[in-house]
Amino acid sequence: PGQKVELELKNKGKAAHTFTISKQSVDKEVQPGDETETEVTFPQSGQLEFVCKFHQSSGMIGVLTTSGSGSSSTTTSDSKY
């Protein structure tokens, strides 16, 4: 909780996507077959929502969750693009 982590983003699909966290001014675009990295700060507790701004209306939304005990997990949507 509260720590910065570096995330590796890979787009294995055939369409461009973004990894966008408005609350942290994170907005990374990843082209098909490409990859990039970004830093995010986990919340002290609770969840931090991220979206693909190109496909958010189709349900491409995920959540970074911290339990407050130092462990974290990632949940992503399973949209096929």
Side-chain angles (χ1 to χ4, degrees), residues 25-61:
S25 300
V26 172
D27 188 25
K28 291 285 188 171
E29 185 172 331
V30 189
Q31 295 299 318
D34 204 1
E35 59 185 71
T36 190
E37 296 175 347
T38 192
E39 276 192 352
V40 300
T41 302
F42 273 85
Q44 289 296 328
S45 64
Q47 300 179 337
L48 185 62
E49 184 178 281
F50 62 92
V51 301
C52 170
K53 66 183 182 183
F54 300 149
H55 304 107
Q56 182 176 1
S57 63
S58 300
M60 195 166 277
I61 300 168

Side-chain angles (χ1 to χ4, degrees), residues 2 6-9 16-19 22 25 35 41 46-48 51 54 56-57 61 71-72 75 81:
E6 187 170 287
L7 300 177
E8 184 177 281
L9 309 172
H17 295 287
T18 70
F19 179 83
S22 297
S25 300
E35 59 185 71
T41 302
Q47 300 179 337
L48 185 62
V51 301
F54 300 149
Q56 182 176 1
S57 63
I61 300 168
S71 63
S72 60
T75 305
Y81 288 94

